[in-house]
Amino acid sequence: MTQMTFHDAVDQALHEEMARDSRVLMFGEGTATKRKGLLKAFGPQRVRNTPLAEGIIAGTAAGAAATGLRPVVDLLFAPFLCFAMDELVNSAGKLRYMSGGQFSFPMVALAMTGGGWSVGAQHNHNLEAWFVHAPGLKVVMPATPADAKGLMKAAIRDENPVLFFVDIGLAFAPGEVPEGEALIPLGQAAVRREGTDLTLISYAKTVHTCLAAAEALAAEGVSTEVVDLRTLKPLDEATILASVRKTGRAVVVHEASRLCGVGAEVAALISEQAFDALRAPIIRLTGPDAPAPASYPLEQAFAPQADAIVAAAQQLVARTLEAAPIW
Amino acid sequence: MSLSTPQPGSTRLELLAAMLRIRAYEEKIVAFHAAGPFPNVCTSVGQEAAAVGVVSALRAEDQILTNHRSAGHLLARGADPGRMLAEVMGRSTGYCRGRSGTLHISVKELGVVLTSTIVGGELSLAPGVALSRAMLGGEGIVVCFFGDGAACEGIFHESLNLASVWNLPVLYVCENNQWQAFVHRKETMVGDHVAPWAAPYGIDSLTVDGNDVESVRKAALHAAAQVRETRRPFLLEAWTYRQRGHMEPHDQSYVDPAEIEAWMAKDPISRLEARLLAEGECTTADLEALHAEARRAIDEAAEFASTSPYPDLSDLATGVYA
């Protein structure tokens, strides 16, 4: 185990995968400038700067992936993905199916998002659910440096296009990272804390908010389980359902806005498949239906806070203590 | 790889036969439309010389990206018209198992990498395909067919810029067919030609009479040789005409009849036939035989497609992920 930041963990994964497989290459806006270690190790053919043109970066990755390479592209900030939607959604996501399986698109698109740097809504927009909705794409958004490394390695080895979101608020947060292999399979959630009264389901920075809330709830005698989704697509339905069947209560927490967000999918899943286990309604705590503000206090308030999670948990627990379920 | 496409050195009669095959294929689709409900198709009638002229100048190791008006490129490359028609008709024997329909047929074994119906999609993918060629070795080049409409997309400029700064072996072929869906390019495009847009990106270009298959082939051999040798992009503009409406069923009510008449007089097939007859290379009977053979092959293809089964419904959502 080594202590390193989330950012360095991603870099280490890239190093290891590029050393392992000569078909892996990386390009993007400032990639060769900023990732000096990669450039030194693998040279300018495999580590490239690109124009500030997200459409052609993503399209070039799709074309290269279809014909033998395994590109990782850095599109910098998630809102810039709007310029690459056609290439990611219409080409990378659809053309495997549309070609009757003749072509595959093993590629990773990297983008940062979330509060932390006061960059405002054209650099910070948690739009990960858009890609969950698009067929053919996989979506990951890790919460820890170890997961960042393990999921990046798995994403590079996957035969499908993977959207890899880095939470800006976590980019320079340190954590323990295992040496060498230690892949985290795509589609596998992690139970970060076990509990029996309530499940908090989250991903990225709000996993840590949930863990803080769980600590506060423990002091009140509420045993809280925290599930970190890690991969948003494919979603680890089994882990979510097992936890909620055990606790009977669920709060879904994310920084992205509520409407048609990942939380809506998780809540619907629980309602459809674990209704009989529920002892209270499901609550979603999310960012508002608003562009992310730049002002630091507002930006910080955008994502759900620990006290709100504690309050929601208390509400669910109290409700079920006072009144038996109606079903 | 076995390709039935005419390779360098192809005879004029072979070029004619390849164009007749495309025309017969498109006319069969028109006939299907006339007979009853049929999937929408964008035909390439009138653009056969551009397709055959360019594709006949390619080698087996080269790769092609094309667009929604792709039947000519595919057939010239040697695609089986039966499997193409089956794809158009949504049958399981189609090249893409009925999932692409007419608009997105790709044929990996022939190097037809991807067909995009997002106008400009082929331009976004071409540099990446060429990057694979550049990094994985081989002599192959990448040919990207697009129209004057796609040239007005931002991605056209992004594609040329990147292919130039990265020295990628892409032969961009703009089939300027005068019409961008339902709008004449004069309304929506600065200038008449796309070729001049290459120079600011440091890319050489050539404009050719796209309705003269021999001129196209000569220009394409030159352009492909340059891309092969320099490993740098080149833009070839074929000046041609879409003889039918944007899509079937046919409608050109919005087109000036005088424009259609003028272009019909330059029909690529009639032109080559007239030349062959005038120069004594063949007789009227020879031409009739070629026409009959093209129709026969397409009739056979239509029979194969029509009698092919639809995909099983259990196939609906399979193969989305690898």
Side-chain angles (χ1 to χ4, degrees):
Chain A
M1 287 286 193
T2 314
Q3 278 273 332
M4 68 177 73
T5 65
F6 193 108
H7 179 80
D8 289 342
V10 169
D11 216 51
Q12 189 175 83
L14 290 165
H15 254 280
E16 290 178 8
E17 291 308 299
M18 288 182 75
R20 194 185 67 86
D21 185 345
S22 64
R23 298 168 302 170
V24 180
L25 75 162
M26 183 170 189
F27 50 92
E29 303 173 1
T31 294
T33 307
K34 292 185 297 181
R35 297 183 187 271
K36 289 190 187 308
L38 283 185
L39 178 63
K40 188 163 180 246
F42 303 106
Q45 288 295 308
R46 293 177 67 195
V47 184
R48 295 168 176 245
N49 282 329
T50 62
L52 305 179
E54 294 77 13
I56 200 63
I57 297 170
T60 299
T67 50
L69 295 174
R70 304 182 76 86
V72 179
V73 289
D74 190 350
L75 296 164
L76 293 190
F77 293 95
F80 303 177
L81 294 173
C82 293
F83 266 129
M85 286 307 268
D86 172 54
E87 292 76 11
L88 294 171
V89 174
N90 286 321
S91 291
K94 294 180 185 173
L95 285 172
R96 174 184 165 74
Y97 178 89
M98 291 172 72
S99 68
Q102 293 179 86
F103 297 95
S104 292
F105 296 84
M107 58 182 273
V108 181
L110 192 60
M112 293 188 285
T113 186
W117 286 353
S118 293
V119 285
Q122 292 185 347
H123 282 62
N124 167 18
H125 182 176
N126 284 57
L127 38 70
E128 55 274 8
W130 299 5
F131 297 94
V132 175
H133 196 71
L137 303 177
K138 295 187 177 181
V139 184
V140 303
M141 194 160 177
T144 69
D147 280 1
K149 179 180 173 183
L151 286 166
M152 176 54 81
K153 288 170 72 80
I156 290 170
R157 296 186 198 185
D158 202 274
E159 293 301 321
N160 302 284
V162 180
L163 273 290
F164 192 102
F165 289 100
V166 173
D167 193 322
I168 288 172
L170 301 176
F172 293 97
E176 296 281 332
V177 175
E179 310 281 346
E181 298 289 272
L183 270 71
I184 312 280
L186 302 186
Q188 198 175 91
V191 176
R192 295 292 179 199
R193 178 188 175 113
E194 294 199 3
T196 53
D197 297 329
L198 171 82
T199 304
L200 302 177
I201 301 158
S202 189
Y203 60 92
K205 72 156 67 70
T206 45
V207 168
H208 303 282
T209 321
C210 289
L211 288 168
E215 199 62 32
L217 287 163
E220 297 179 18
V222 178
S223 170
T224 306
E225 183 144 305
V226 177
V227 174
D228 176 359
L229 295 174
R230 306 199 288 195
T231 300
L232 307 181
K233 189 181 189 180
L235 194 60
D236 184 353
E237 299 185 355
T239 297
I240 295 167
L241 293 169
S243 179
V244 175
R245 285 201 183 100
K246 178 172 71 171
T247 64
R249 302 178 186 90
V251 180
V252 194
V253 185
H254 54 61
E255 183 171 7
S257 59
R258 180 172 55 86
L259 297 167
C260 296
V262 171
E265 181 59 35
V266 171
L269 169 76
I270 296 168
S271 302
E272 283 172 356
Q273 298 195 35
F275 186 73
D276 54 340
L278 283 176
R279 301 160 70 188
I282 302 159
I283 290 180
R284 282 176 291 162
L285 293 175
T286 69
D289 178 29
S295 167
Y296 190 75
L298 291 180
E299 186 197 47
Q300 292 300 300
F302 193 95
Q305 306 297 304
D307 55 1
I309 299 170
V310 169
Q314 287 167 333
Q315 185 190 332
L316 292 188
V317 173
R319 180 181 174 126
T320 42
L321 287 178
E322 285 164 11
I326 54 167
W327 51 84
Chain B
M1 188 185 297
S2 93
L3 296 176
S4 60
T5 179
Q7 295 298 300
S10 308
T11 68
R12 298 203 290 183
L13 281 171
E14 284 170 329
L15 295 173
L16 177 63
M19 289 199 291
L20 289 173
R21 191 178 181 84
I22 298 166
R23 182 68 60 91
Y25 173 93
E26 301 287 34
E27 283 177 347
K28 177 61 71 177
I29 280 177
V30 170
F32 273 124
H33 266 280
F38 196 79
N40 281 1
V41 172
C42 297
T43 74
S44 60
V45 175
Q47 301 179 209
E48 295 88 349
V52 170
V54 172
V55 176
S56 72
L58 303 181
R59 297 182 183 168
E61 66 267 26
D62 297 338
Q63 288 167 303
I64 295 173
L65 293 99
T66 173
N67 55 70
H68 53 285
R69 217 172 290 286
S70 63
H73 312 135
L74 288 154
L75 289 167
R77 188 62 169 171
D80 172 2
R83 291 193 68 192
M84 284 174 62
L85 274 173
E87 188 61 44
V88 174
M89 295 162 77
R91 308 304 169 106
S92 61
T93 52
Y95 275 112
C96 306
R97 296 160 56 194
R99 291 166 166 201
S100 102
T102 176
L103 296 174
H104 322 89
I105 301 176
S106 52
V107 185
K108 191 174 185 178
E109 73 223 40
L110 297 178
V112 182
V113 179
L114 297 164
T115 297
S116 175
T117 303
I118 303 294
V119 171
E122 63 288 346
L123 288 160
S124 77
L125 297 161
V129 178
L131 182 63
S132 288
R133 295 287 62 71
M135 293 188 63
L136 300 172
E139 297 294 303
I141 67 169
V142 174
V143 179
C144 179
F145 287 100
F146 61 101
D148 44 300
C152 294
E153 292 265 8
I155 200 72
F156 165 82
H157 301 271
E158 294 186 27
S159 184
L160 264 66
N161 180 54
L162 190 71
S164 187
V165 293
W166 281 9
N167 294 315
L168 297 173
V170 184
L171 173 53
Y172 291 99
V173 179
C174 178
E175 292 173 317
N176 186 338
N177 69 7
Q178 319 298 323
W179 283 85
Q180 304 180 349
F182 303 99
V183 180
H184 195 283
R185 56 159 180 78
K186 281 184 184 297
E187 272 189 63
T188 51
M189 195 175 110
V190 175
D192 293 326
H193 287 283
V194 172
W197 297 358
Y201 297 105
I203 296 175
D204 290 343
S205 69
L206 201 59
T207 300
V208 65
D209 177 350
N211 279 21
D212 178 355
V213 70
E214 292 183 273
S215 297
V216 176
R217 180 175 149 78
K218 190 177 162 199
L221 282 167
H222 164 78
Q226 182 169 326
V227 175
R228 229 176 278 288
E229 188 183 321
T230 63
R231 313 311 290 173
R232 284 199 34 86
F234 189 101
L235 195 157
L236 177 64
E237 178 177 4
W239 185 251
T240 183
Y241 193 69
R242 190 188 83 196
Q243 287 185 5
R244 297 183 66 80
H246 173 56
M247 61 188 203
E248 300 302 313
H250 174 60
D251 173 19
Q252 278 185 317
S253 57
Y254 48 88
V255 183
D256 177 359
E259 176 187 301
I260 300 174
E261 195 183 338
W263 277 99
M264 293 306 271
K266 292 189 278 189
D267 177 75
I269 291 174
S270 305
R271 275 173 80 181
L272 181 59
E273 287 181 339
R275 196 178 299 159
L276 292 171
L277 288 171
E279 295 176 13
E281 197 161 322
C282 68
T283 64
T284 309
D286 293 335
L287 294 180
E288 279 167 11
L290 282 175
H291 278 260
E293 168 52 24
R295 281 194 298 269
R296 187 206 58 74
I298 298 303
D299 282 344
E300 193 179 296
E303 176 65 18
F304 167 79
S306 305
T307 55
S308 285
Y310 283 104
D312 195 277
L313 293 185
S314 65
D315 204 28
L316 174 64
T318 61
V320 178
Y321 299 91

